[in-house]
Amino acid sequence: MPNSFSRLSIAFVLLILFSANRASADHEHASNEFEVFLAGEAYHGSGQVRPGDDDTWFDADVVFGLTQHQFRVFGELYITPDEHDLERLQFGFEFVPETVLWLGRFHQPASAWNTEHHHGRYLQTAITRPFIERWEDEEGLIPQHITGLLFESRRPVGADGAVQLSGGAGAGPALRNGQYDPIDLIDHNPGKHRLSVTGRVAYLPEYTGASSFGLLYGHDHISTSSPMVISALNSRHAMLSIYGAYVDWNSEPWRAIGANYYVDVALDQQARDESFISGYLQVERQLPYKLTVFGRIENSARMQESNYVALFDDHDGDIDIALRRNALGLRWDYVRRQALTIEVSHVVSLKQRSDEIRLQWSAVVP
Amino acid sequence: MKKIAVTWLLAALISAVLTMPASADETLVLIVSADSKVEQLDSLEVRKLFLGMTVIHNGDRLRPLLNEAEPRLKDVFLQNIVSMTDMTYDRRILRLALQGGRSLPAVYADKFMLINTVAADPTSVSFAWARDVQHDKRIKILRVLWHD
C-alpha cells in the first residue's frame, strides 16, 4: 500500500503541475479544477465499542479536473487516517454539450445520494449518509464503484425541462469476506470482478435546476470463491438486481431528497432467492443566520431475514447494518465554505438499538 | 377636447417613463470582448454558463468570469439572473465540480482586472455595472440584465 500510495502521489503531483498556471492555460481554452473537501467528526454511540466505519475522525476528499477542448480528466482522492484511495479516475470526451462518455473508475449512477454528494461531506447537509448508500468499505450492501464506461447526457425537453440519462457498465467489485472490494486502479485486485450494469433516467423540471426525480436500475453479477461467503449464502454466485426510484426536490428554503430501492438477490438455487427493500427521506429547511435544520427517516423491509444482508455484519463493535434510523440535526454555515453540524439519531440494527450523537466541522478549500 | 388632451399628455408621460434609459449607476449589463463572435446570449444560456455547464457559440467554448468587485453586484446577478442566494449558488457549483470536475467560474475581485481579462479573451463572458464599461471600446455590451 505505501508503494502504491507513493506512485499515486507522484501521479497526483504531476497532474497538479500539469494543470498549474491557470491564467496561461485559460488562453489555450483549457481550464482546471482543484478542490479539497475537509471534515472532522466527533462521535458517541450507546452500546458500541467503536465508531462506525463511516465515522472517521478526519477525512479529506481531493478533487481535481482538467478540461481541454472536448476532453476531460477527473479524479477524486479520498484520504482518512486509515485509508487513501483513488475513488474515481475518469477520462471523458464531450461529444456535444452535456453529453460525455467516460472511461475509468466511477461511482455507479443508480445511487441517488452518492451521485449527488460523492465523498464531499461539506456538500451533504447531514453528517451521515443513509445506510443503504454506504460505500463498499463501510460494509455497503450495494456495489458503488465500477471500472469501465460511463455515459452521461442531459437533453432539453419541452420549454424548460430536461431528461438526464446515465448508464455505466464495467467490472464491479469482488465479494470477499463479507465486504465488496472494487477494482483498485493501482494496487492488485484479488477476487472475481464480474459485470456490473447500472443506469438512471431522470426528469428535471428546469434544465439548469437542482430538482430532479427518476428511476434507478442496477444489475451486478457476483461470483466468489470465499469460503465464508459460500458458507453464508450456500451459493458461489449471486445476481443482484436493484430497482429504485428517487426524488431530489429543491425549492428554497426547502429541500427533500429520498429514494427507495428494491434489491433482489438471485442465488444458485432459485428456491433460496432473497429480496429486501430499503429507503429513506431527508427533509431540510434553511433558517435565518445561515442555519439549516434537517431530519431523515430510514426504513427497510425483510432485511433481517436476508442471509445476504447478514453477510455484511462483521461483529466488530459498531453498527454495520441498520434496519431503521431516525436522524435530526442542525447545520450552521458560520463562514463561507465552512460549516458546523450536529446530528442525533436513533438506530435499530440487526441485533441492537443505539442512540448516537455526532458533531462535525466541514469545509472546502480553496 | 380638454379630456383628450389630458389623456394624450398622460400617455406621453407614461411612454416617456417606460422608454427612459435606466440610470447607468444601477444598470447591470452582460459583457464580452469587442472581438467576441457572440452577439447575444439568452437567459438560459447565461444560467447554464454560470452554473458550470458547457455553452458553445460559433465553435468557441465560452468561459464565465464571476465579478466579485462589489458584493451588491454579485448578489444582484445571482438573485435576478441565476435565481439563487450566494450560499446556494456556491454549493451548487461545488457540487458540479465534484460530479465531474467541471471548472468553477473564475472569480475576479478587481473590476479593472476583470474588464482587462474580458477585453483580452474573446471567449469570456461576464457582467458589470454599465457605468464601468459603457465607454470602453474594448468591451461589447450584449444586453441589460437588470436595472433599478
Side-chain angles (χ1 to χ4, degrees):
Chain A
M1 195 63 180
N3 187 32
S4 65
F5 186 64
S6 63
R7 276 181 285 171
L8 180 61
S9 303
I10 291 166
F12 180 62
V13 169
L14 284 173
L15 184 65
I16 297 303
L17 288 174
F18 178 63
S19 59
N21 197 350
R22 176 178 292 214
S24 65
D26 284 343
H27 292 295
E28 293 158 14
H29 303 275
S31 57
N32 57 71
E33 199 50 55
F34 179 73
E35 310 284 341
V36 183
F37 293 80
L38 299 167
E41 184 188 321
Y43 166 86
H44 175 74
S46 64
Q48 299 176 60
V49 298
R50 60 181 287 270
D53 296 309
D54 189 29
D55 292 300
T56 178
W57 71 271
F58 169 80
D59 66 84
D61 189 36
V62 183
V63 174
F64 50 93
L66 179 67
T67 302
Q68 177 88 26
H69 304 294
Q70 289 165 280
F71 295 94
R72 289 199 206 167
V73 180
F74 170 69
E76 184 179 21
L77 177 67
Y78 186 65
I79 302 164
T80 73
D82 302 320
E83 68 167 298
H84 22 65
D85 288 336
L86 190 56
E87 298 288 346
R88 287 186 286 166
L89 184 63
Q90 301 173 207
F91 301 88
F93 183 77
E94 191 171 18
F95 291 95
V96 292
E98 303 307 315
T99 297
V100 185
L101 182 66
W102 296 96
L103 172 69
R105 177 172 140 148
F106 52 88
H107 290 153
Q108 59 101 353
S111 164
W113 187 277
N114 295 335
T115 49
E116 189 68 16
H117 306 99
H118 300 279
H119 294 269
R121 285 180 177 252
Y122 172 80
L123 288 179
Q124 61 179 41
T125 306
I127 297 174
T128 56
R129 65 182 56 242
F131 270 89
I132 193 64
E133 305 280 23
R134 281 192 162 199
W135 304 113
E136 292 94 338
D137 55 4
E138 298 164 353
E139 271 67 55
L141 300 175
I142 296 175
Q144 299 291 348
H145 294 87
I146 303 175
T147 303
L149 288 169
L150 172 65
F151 175 80
E152 292 181 314
S153 183
R154 181 184 299 209
R155 310 305 306 160
V157 169
D160 303 312
V163 166
Q164 192 177 33
L165 299 168
S166 303
L175 181 57
R176 298 188 314 133
N177 304 323
Q179 183 175 297
Y180 279 119
D181 288 324
I183 294 266
D184 190 320
L185 294 176
I186 297 165
D187 221 334
H188 65 294
N189 288 287
K192 297 173 180 175
H193 299 270
R194 303 298 194 207
L195 180 66
S196 174
V197 178
T198 58
R200 150 197 314 233
V201 181
Y203 175 72
L204 291 79
E206 285 183 72
Y207 187 95
T208 55
S211 296
S212 66
F213 55 89
L215 301 173
L216 312 163
Y217 172 73
H219 188 76
D220 299 273
H221 182 192
I222 311 297
S223 184
T224 183
S225 54
S226 161
M228 176 197 165
V229 177
I230 294 168
S231 166
L233 296 180
N234 198 18
S235 177
R236 286 182 172 274
H237 308 277
M239 298 293 274
L240 216 60
S241 298
I242 300 133
Y243 307 90
Y246 85 99
V247 61
D248 187 357
W249 180 71
N250 291 265
S251 178
E252 285 190 310
W254 291 93
R255 182 190 184 197
I257 179 169
N260 201 41
Y261 299 96
Y262 171 85
V263 182
D264 182 78
V265 187
L267 302 170
D268 283 344
Q269 299 165 347
Q270 285 188 353
R272 295 189 59 257
D273 288 357
E274 300 177 353
S275 68
F276 63 91
I277 296 171
S278 183
Y280 59 89
L281 176 66
Q282 177 169 307
V283 177
E284 308 168 13
R285 191 190 193 285
Q286 292 176 17
L287 302 171
Y289 307 106
K290 298 191 173 178
L291 294 167
T292 304
V293 64
F294 61 90
R296 188 173 69 234
I297 296 172
E298 298 176 43
N299 210 337
S300 67
R302 300 194 299 281
M303 278 175 68
Q304 63 270 47
E305 300 153 16
S306 167
N307 290 324
Y308 170 80
V309 170
L311 188 62
F312 294 83
D313 195 4
D314 60 9
H315 311 289
D316 61 351
D318 65 331
I319 291 178
D320 295 315
I321 310 294
L323 304 176
R324 290 187 295 279
R325 172 160 63 181
N326 296 327
L328 190 66
L330 185 68
R331 170 182 167 123
W332 179 32
D333 287 84
Y334 63 100
V335 70
R336 181 178 159 83
R337 295 194 172 181
Q338 287 190 52
L340 292 170
T341 311
I342 183 169
E343 181 179 319
V344 292
S345 57
H346 177 72
V347 186
V348 179
S349 72
L350 284 175
K351 293 192 176 73
Q352 68 178 100
R353 293 167 183 266
S354 178
D355 294 309
E356 302 175 323
I357 182 165
R358 292 172 173 86
L359 291 169
Q360 179 188 263
W361 165 83
S362 60
V364 187
V365 289
Chain B
M1 190 64 183
K2 197 176 169 185
K3 261 188 180 174
I4 294 172
V6 170
T7 308
W8 275 107
L9 187 62
L10 204 59
L13 277 171
I14 291 169
S15 169
V17 168
L18 289 176
T19 55
M20 197 164 55
S23 159
D25 282 345
E26 286 295 298
T27 302
L28 186 70
V29 292
L30 188 67
I31 59 171
V32 292
S33 164
D35 299 329
S36 171
K37 295 179 208 164
V38 178
E39 293 302 328
Q40 198 50 267
L41 285 176
D42 63 32
S43 298
L44 179 61
E45 287 175 308
V46 176
R47 274 174 63 90
K48 279 187 191 175
L49 192 58
F50 283 89
L51 285 169
M53 298 179 187
T54 305
V55 177
I56 294 176
H57 253 251
N58 297 319
D60 288 334
R61 184 178 292 256
L62 302 184
R63 201 166 67 92
L65 308 185
L66 207 54
N67 187 344
E68 289 193 356
E70 294 173 39
R72 176 167 156 72
L73 182 72
K74 187 184 171 193
D75 284 347
V76 167
F77 178 75
L78 293 181
Q79 282 171 19
N80 293 282
I81 311 305
V82 187
S83 306
M84 288 179 191
T85 61
D86 190 10
M87 191 173 86
T88 303
Y89 175 73
D90 194 46
R91 289 179 69 172
R92 181 75 193 284
I93 57 172
L94 281 171
R95 192 165 287 157
L96 287 173
L98 191 61
Q99 284 170 355
R102 292 168 188 273
S103 299
L104 310 188
V107 174
Y108 285 81
D110 182 313
K111 70 179 176 188
F112 298 109
M113 196 176 285
L114 172 92
I115 292 167
N116 289 338
T117 306
V118 172
D121 180 1
T123 66
S124 63
V125 179
S126 190
F127 55 91
W129 294 128
R131 64 170 183 263
D132 293 331
V133 291
Q134 62 191 1
H135 300 302
D136 193 328
K137 290 197 167 73
R138 303 171 304 157
I139 298 294
K140 177 162 52 176
I141 295 177
L142 294 183
R143 65 188 171 96
V144 172
L145 292 170
W146 174 89
H147 60 78
D148 199 3

